[in-house]
């Protein structure tokens, strides 16, 4: 919050094979930018050297070997205008894909906004 106005929400989700950081930025009370950073682990968290040996594997869990996927989503008037990913070739996304992403992001954001603290 700044001056009683919600400006940013940060979430972090953990799973056995990933970690997801999401930052939602608001401008004049509306969603304007979303940054997502997903760490896709090389093995599940519990997969230690013992599990590696038991499974005749050559790797145990190593956070430094995580694949990092970053998405940046730009909104105006509740509409996803543009999205950038470090996994794409730089071409603009198709409209149907942006609509699907808009729906996903907005549903997650709307769930969070229901739990926000009241303005002070």
């Amino acid at each position: 919050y700044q001056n009683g106005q919600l400006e940013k929400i940060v979430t972090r989700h953990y799973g056995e094979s990933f970690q997801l950081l999401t930052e939602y930025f608001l401008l004049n009370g509306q969603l304007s930018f979303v940054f997502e950073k997903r760490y896709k682990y090389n093995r599940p968290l519990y997969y230690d050297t013992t599990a590696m040996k038991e499974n005749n594997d050559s790797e145990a869990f190593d956070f430094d070997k995580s694949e990092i996927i970053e998405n940046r989503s730009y909104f105006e008037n509740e509409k996803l205008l543009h999205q950038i990913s470090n996994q794409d070739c730089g071409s603009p996304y198709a409209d149907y894909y942006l609509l699907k992403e808009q729906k996903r992001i907005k549903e997650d954001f709307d769930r969070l906004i229901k739990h926000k603290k009241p303005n002070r």
Side-chain angles (χ1 to χ4, degrees):
Y1 286 89
Q2 186 166 339
N3 298 326
Q5 183 78 10
L6 181 63
E7 292 198 0
K8 183 178 177 183
I9 298 174
V10 178
T11 66
R12 192 175 295 268
H13 299 272
Y14 296 93
E16 64 183 38
S17 62
F18 77 95
Q19 182 181 145
L20 174 63
L21 166 71
T22 307
E23 298 180 41
Y24 301 88
F25 294 84
L26 290 88
L27 183 63
N28 299 323
Q30 288 193 336
L31 192 59
S32 64
F33 176 72
V34 178
F35 174 73
E36 297 170 291
K37 187 172 189 175
R38 176 181 294 271
Y39 297 88
K40 185 177 173 187
Y41 302 149
N42 69 316
R43 298 289 186 272
L45 280 169
Y46 57 81
Y47 204 85
D48 58 12
T49 54
T50 303
M52 175 187 77
K53 290 173 187 171
E54 288 173 353
N55 290 288
N56 294 321
D57 200 348
S58 60
E59 279 189 295
F61 168 77
D62 184 349
F63 184 80
D64 292 333
K65 291 184 179 179
S66 298
E67 177 184 7
I68 299 173
I69 301 165
E70 293 181 350
N71 292 318
R72 290 164 173 79
S73 301
Y74 300 86
F75 287 82
E76 186 174 30
N77 296 324
E78 305 284 323
K79 183 178 178 187
L80 178 59
L81 299 176
H82 186 64
Q83 191 174 63
I84 300 171
S85 173
N86 69 339
Q87 300 289 302
D88 88 61
C89 64
S91 298
Y93 288 112
D95 288 342
Y96 72 88
Y97 178 79
L98 287 177
L99 284 172
K100 187 173 116 179
E101 283 291 281
Q102 175 181 304
K103 182 177 188 263
R104 176 187 67 82
I105 293 168
K106 286 288 293 156
E107 284 175 356
D108 289 344
F109 177 73
D110 289 344
R111 268 193 300 276
L112 289 169
I113 210 74
K114 287 179 185 177
H115 302 289
K116 75 175 187 160
K117 295 178 186 175
N119 291 345
R120 293 182 181 157

